[in-house]
Structures are given as C-alpha cells and as structure tokens.
Amino acid sequence: MAMRKIVQIDENKCNGCGVCVPSCAEGAIKIIDGKAKLLSDNLCDGLGACLGDCPMDAITIIEREAEEFDEEAVKVHLGHEQKDAHQQGHHHGHHHGGGCPGSQLRMLNKSGAQSTAVVENGDVEIKIKSQLQQWPVQLMLVPPTAPYFEGADLLVTADCVPFAYPNYHLDILKGKKVVIGCPKLDDVAFYVTKLTQIMKMNEIKSVTVAFMEVPCCTGIVRAVEKAIGDSGKNIPLHRVRIGIEGDASKF
C-alpha cells in the first residue's frame, strides 16, 4: 500500500447515469445497484479521465493509501470483460433461434405503412401505422450480424423515449433499424461493446441516438459516441433529445 492519487465517487451525488463507465479505459468503474463503483484500487490509474464526463460532479481525485496501479491486472480484467460481453452477445444473438421464440430474428415489411385519418361521428382519429422494421429491438438481444443492420440508418433509443414522444414512429423511427436500452439499469460497457460490433461488422449509413433530457440518459449518448470512435469508421451521428413533456430538440 502506498499514498497515491485515486478516484473517489460520492454516492450521494451519483445518479447512476453510467457516463463515467466508457470514459474509464481500464474498466475500473461499473454501475452496481444504481451507483457508480470503483471495482478495485489497482485498476485505477488516478489520472481522472472520467472526471470531466460526470454530470453530477460526483467523481474527484483524492490522495490516500491504495494498492499500486497494476497494468497486468487491468489487462486481465479487460480480457474478462470482453469475454463476458462476447458470451452475452453470443447467448442473446447467435442462439436466438434455439432460445426464447420471442427473440427470433424477424424482418418486418413496413415500407408502405401509411398513417390514416378516420372520421367517426364528426371526430377525426389519426391511425398511426407502426414503422418498426425488425425484431428483436433490445440491444441486449440483437446479434451484431443481423442482416437488417447492413446498409441501415441505425436508431439507438433510450427505452423511455417512445412513451414521452407521441409521434415517435413517424418522426424518429421511420426508415431506420432500431435498438433500445436503458443506460441507468443496464451495463453501459456492454452497450459500447455491442454497438461497436454492429458498426464494425456492417456498413451503417448513419446513427441517430434518441434520449431523454434527464441526466442519467446521457449515458446512452456517450456509449454511441464511444462506439463510433472504437469502430474506426466515420459514421454521421444525429442526436435527438426528448423532454419529459414530449418536446424534441435535434443537434
């Protein structure tokens, strides 16, 4: 044990957004029970790459007694993380046909789906047709090699967005292949790995990320940004932020 600089996470400030997780190249931070945790002292180099990304200012660098930073331990840890992510993707993706029938790959032909207006007793009711083109949609379930990703405009959606934005199908989903997830409840590092695989294994034309205005939801934006960087490809990225009251802003 030696006195050295190391990350400290204030759990009272942390909202579990997961933005810090992909920012730590050593994989030393993970969301556990809704809070960011430092997994082990010897995985943290104390340089603070995760500091600037925390929207709640919950991460600081302090000096205390701690195990020395161990590069070999980091390599072993990252190897286990990648293996776990691969196994999860393999389980949920490549075995989709032999597992839950609801996870079986399906292409849905919605190219001609049009919304209609129905007039009944003087009242106009809009019938919005589903624009979903594929199944499954959960990022944890989709295999990176799914044929519908090739040449696709990819939509990555935080799973609260369709509930908050009433015209989601026509304004955001239409013409895109979609994956959904929650950066607060799921493993953001796994998201980064899966999205990177999708982008590396397919020619993705563009990526749109739709997320809620709440701070914890920015984790899915950071995951998409890191995945694009890790893929080594120059993929156009569009961001759509949805307010809790249903307003949308694009940037």
Side-chain angles (χ1 to χ4, degrees):
M1 301 281 282
M3 291 293 295
R4 71 176 183 92
K5 292 181 179 180
I6 194 166
V7 158
Q8 176 173 272
I9 301 171
D10 186 339
E11 292 192 10
N12 292 323
K13 291 183 178 180
C14 177
N15 64 2
C17 70
V19 173
C20 56
V21 174
S23 300
C24 179
E26 293 75 29
I29 299 176
K30 191 170 184 177
I31 303 300
I32 300 174
D33 296 329
K35 297 288 184 179
K37 308 277 189 182
L38 180 63
L39 295 178
S40 177
D41 287 356
N42 67 346
L43 299 178
C44 177
D45 59 13
L47 297 179
C50 51
L51 287 177
D53 292 314
C54 180
M56 306 304 293
D57 292 325
I59 303 177
T60 55
I61 297 294
I62 64 169
E63 191 165 327
R64 65 170 173 83
E65 280 197 350
E67 289 182 81
E68 293 286 354
F69 175 62
D70 188 340
E71 291 188 6
E72 288 302 315
V74 170
K75 291 179 182 178
V76 172
H77 171 66
L78 292 177
H80 286 315
E81 290 285 301
Q82 292 173 358
K83 182 179 179 181
D84 290 344
H86 174 76
Q87 287 176 342
Q88 288 185 55
H90 184 76
H91 174 72
H92 291 304
H94 296 289
H95 288 288
H96 58 268
C100 172
S103 300
Q104 184 176 356
L105 288 183
R106 295 178 62 185
M107 302 284 285
L108 309 176
N109 183 15
K110 296 295 177 65
S111 59
Q114 300 293 329
S115 297
T116 58
V118 178
V119 179
E120 293 182 359
N121 300 323
D123 295 327
V124 179
E125 181 180 356
I126 304 298
K127 300 284 189 180
I128 296 178
K129 298 294 185 182
S130 171
Q131 300 298 317
L132 184 64
Q133 298 183 5
Q134 103 279 345
W135 187 264
V137 297
Q138 284 284 350
L139 186 52
M140 297 291 287
L141 297 179
V142 295
T145 55
Y148 46 70
F149 286 133
E150 184 60 34
D153 291 301
L154 178 65
L155 172 62
V156 182
T157 294
D159 53 13
C160 291
V161 167
F163 296 96
Y165 191 67
N167 216 33
Y168 171 80
H169 275 255
L170 296 182
D171 288 354
I172 301 177
L173 176 59
K174 187 175 182 179
K176 302 180 182 71
K177 303 303 187 295
V178 62
V179 292
I180 69 171
C182 177
K184 185 175 178 65
L185 300 180
D186 294 337
D187 186 348
V188 177
F190 176 76
Y191 281 3
V192 172
T193 300
K194 176 64 76 71
L195 289 169
T196 301
Q197 290 173 341
I198 291 172
M199 294 172 194
K200 281 185 174 181
M201 295 179 181
N202 303 278
E203 289 302 320
I204 301 296
K205 292 192 294 185
S206 70
V207 178
T208 299
V209 56
F211 62 103
M212 297 298 299
E213 65 175 336
V214 295
C216 60
C217 209
T218 58
I220 202 164
V221 181
R222 301 290 178 263
V224 170
E225 291 172 342
K226 181 166 176 54
I228 291 176
D230 290 351
S231 74
K233 295 184 177 181
N234 185 22
I235 304 175
L237 174 62
H238 311 285
R239 304 168 183 85
V240 183
R241 181 172 55 224
I242 305 298
I244 294 175
E245 296 186 4
D247 54 304
S249 57
K250 300 179 180 180
F251 60 97

